[in-house]
Every structure is written in C-alpha cells, then in structure tokens.
Amino acid sequence: MAGYQCDLTLSSAPFSVPAMTSCNFTHATFVLIGIPGLEEAHFWIGFPLFSMYAVAVFGNCIVVFIIRMERTLHAPMYLFLCMLAAIDLALSTATMPKILALFWFDSREITFDACIAQMFFIHSLSAIESTILLAMAFDRYIAICHPLRHATVLNNTVTVQIGMVAVVRGSLFFIPLPLLIKRLAFCHSNVLSHSYCVHQDVMKLAYADTLPNVVYGLTAILLIMGVDVLFISLSYVLIIRTVLQLPSKSERAKAFGNCVSHISVVLAFYVPLIGLSVVHRFGNNLDPIVHVLMGDVYLLLPPVINPIIYGARTKQIRTRVLAMLKINCDKDLQAVGGR
C-alpha cells in the first residue's frame, strides 16, 4: 500500500488544457482507493461489504425466481419489479467483486479498458433503472387514477416493450462516454477517488480538454435522470390529487399504501445519486472520505434495500418466501426424524 502516493487534489479548472509540457504517455491502469485513513482496517471492512453483496444477490435472486415461477405474479407491477431486481444484480456484479478484491487482497489497480467498461455498465444500468422506476410510477398512476383502463393500457406485452426501450435508452445514451474518455490522455495522477470507475472521477484525471465530456455527461444525466424525476414527480402529483378525492379514509390509506414501496425505492435511488453528483461538481475541497462514502452509498444502497422493501411490503412475495422457507424447514425436520 505504501507504494502508491494518493494525490487526490483536483484541478481548479478541469475543463481546460493544462498550460504545461505535452503529454508523452498515458497510464495503462488506474488506482482505486478504499477508505482513506482506514487502510489498516480494509480487510475487516471487506466482511460487511461482502455481507451487503450477499444480501443483494440473494434478495434480488429470490425476487426474480418468485416472480418467474409464480404465474399469478405475471402482471405489470411485478414484471417491472423483476426487471429492477435483475438490474440491481447486474450492477452489483459489475462492481462488488473488484471492490472486495481491493479490500481483501489490496488489488488496487484496474486496467484502462476494464475501467471504462465498468464505467459504462454503472452509468447505463443506472439509466435503465431510472427508466424502470419511471415506468413503475406510470403503472401506479394508471392503477390509481384510471383503474378501469389499466388492463388495456399496460398489459404484459406493453410492459416487456417498455423494458426493452429502457435497455436501449440507457445503453445508447451512455455509449459515447467510454469513447469520450478513450480520446483523453492520462499522464499525471492515475489515482481515482472511489473504489470503482465513474465518468466524473476518471475525467478529472485527464491531461486534456474535458469540456466535451462535461457537456455530454451533464446532458445525458439531464435527459435521463432529470426527465425521469420530473415525470415521476408529476405522476405522484396527479396520484395525490386523485387519492385526496376518494370518499373514504380507508380507500385513501389503501391507495397511499400501494405507493409507499415505490416511493421508498425512488428515494433510495435518487437521493444518493443527487448527493454524489453534487459532491463531484462542487466538493473539490471536501475530505476524500466524503467522496468515497457517497459513492459507496450510491452503489450499494439500492441493490440491498430494494428487495427488502418490496419483500416486506408486497404480500404475494412475502407469502411465497415464507412458504418456501416453511417447505425447506419441514423437509429438514422430516430428514432429522427419519434418522
């Protein structure tokens, strides 16, 4: 660990070409960091990280398995939930193995190509997840505001088509990011400020004009996450207006209860995302540990918490999980009794 000098200082004018000698080479690798100041404890910190990864993989696999096997759950809301779980599985798998290697084995280097591949998967999967959250908000809007039209407007075929559009939309918007990064030269510090690669972090290390990266990155974020947040907010404004017009208190409570899980998942996704974006844009003078912690929360929180939220609040999924556990327990008891 002592062999790496972690210079995390950032240029005060990252958009301009440095007024220095020309860049004669570019780094073939980047250096990831764990938690600054706690390097000696990295091995032990890896265990709670692994536990979170295991919870994310197990929880999301259970959600996908139950929805796939239970035909009564082949409805738009549950299909969207299945897509969300699959995205969280992919996002966790694209990042956590390397993070655990960093904390457990001090494997801090990542090749340039592996870094930009990881960067693409993180950004594109996040964009796909944002689109699915918007689709789920639309599903709630139709179900509450136009219940009689729900079956015709949002059937399973339309749901699958929306999922395909989400994948294409997220991929197309963020394919240019690796191409914009590959044109840059990196011949000064190659030490990132996170345990994984994201566009803003890699871009700040470039010895070149990064204005095209900044403009395109900001445009993509606004056209994906910005537009999605706007329409999700609009959906809930219309939902709240409709719910407040319901005659009975029990009907209003039931309608709001149907939205609690989705609102919780939306907050778990967008709050860390906005926080990380603010830290990258305006937090150059913050302690490096703030960047690391915000980045880890953004990456780890949604995959871990989403299956817990939906598993706890969705009766059909909760009942199926309990039934699976009961069957397994009965088999174990029978095996013990047979001995």
Side-chain angles (χ1 to χ4, degrees), residues 86-128:
I87 294 166
D88 286 338
L89 273 172
L91 185 59
S92 299
T93 305
T95 53
M96 282 306 299
K98 182 59 182 176
I99 292 175
L100 291 173
L102 187 158
F103 279 88
W104 277 342
F105 308 113
D106 198 27
S107 177
R108 304 179 64 191
E109 288 194 340
I110 183 170
T111 65
F112 182 85
D113 289 336
C115 184
I116 63 173
Q118 186 184 71
M119 178 187 73
F120 169 73
F121 283 118
I122 289 173
H123 289 297
S124 61
L125 288 170
S126 296
I128 296 168

Side-chain angles (χ1 to χ4, degrees), residues 115-235:
C115 184
I116 63 173
Q118 186 184 71
M119 178 187 73
F120 169 73
F121 283 118
I122 289 173
H123 289 297
S124 61
L125 288 170
S126 296
I128 296 168
E129 182 162 349
S130 178
T131 307
I132 296 300
L133 290 175
L134 173 59
M136 295 172 79
F138 178 68
D139 172 71
R140 292 298 83 205
Y141 164 72
I142 296 295
I144 293 173
C145 299
H146 304 283
L148 298 179
R149 300 174 56 191
H150 185 268
T152 55
V153 171
L154 203 61
N155 53 45
N156 288 354
T157 301
V158 173
T159 302
V160 172
Q161 291 172 346
I162 291 174
M164 295 172 64
V165 169
V167 172
V168 172
R169 180 185 186 225
S171 301
L172 288 182
F173 264 93
F174 287 99
I175 280 178
L177 290 188
L179 303 178
L180 288 170
I181 288 293
K182 287 181 75 72
R183 72 181 182 85
L184 302 175
F186 299 88
C187 55
H188 284 256
S189 175
N190 66 334
V191 181
L192 299 171
S193 59
H194 291 297
S195 306
Y196 53 88
C197 298
V198 288
H199 177 251
Q200 305 97 311
D201 200 15
V202 176
M203 175 189 70
K204 287 181 178 179
L205 298 180
Y207 187 83
D209 180 13
T210 58
L211 182 59
N213 297 68
V214 172
V215 171
Y216 187 83
L218 184 59
T219 301
I221 289 292
L222 290 176
L223 291 179
I224 297 286
M225 281 71 168
V227 169
D228 292 350
V229 168
L230 178 64
F231 281 104
I232 289 172
S233 302
L234 178 61
S235 296

Side-chain angles (χ1 to χ4, degrees), residues 306-326:
N306 288 353
I308 295 174
I309 291 173
Y310 274 102
R313 291 199 57 86
T314 306
K315 181 180 178 181
Q316 292 87 337
I317 294 177
R318 185 173 66 248
T319 302
R320 190 75 172 89
V321 171
L322 293 175
M324 289 172 59
L325 294 176
K326 184 177 184 301

Side-chain angles (χ1 to χ4, degrees), residues 223-257:
L223 291 179
I224 297 286
M225 281 71 168
V227 169
D228 292 350
V229 168
L230 178 64
F231 281 104
I232 289 172
S233 302
L234 178 61
S235 296
Y236 275 103
V237 168
L238 298 174
I239 287 171
I240 291 171
R241 188 182 68 176
T242 300
V243 169
L244 292 178
Q245 294 174 352
L246 294 176
S248 71
K249 185 177 180 180
S250 60
E251 288 179 334
R252 292 195 294 270
K254 182 180 179 181
F256 277 127

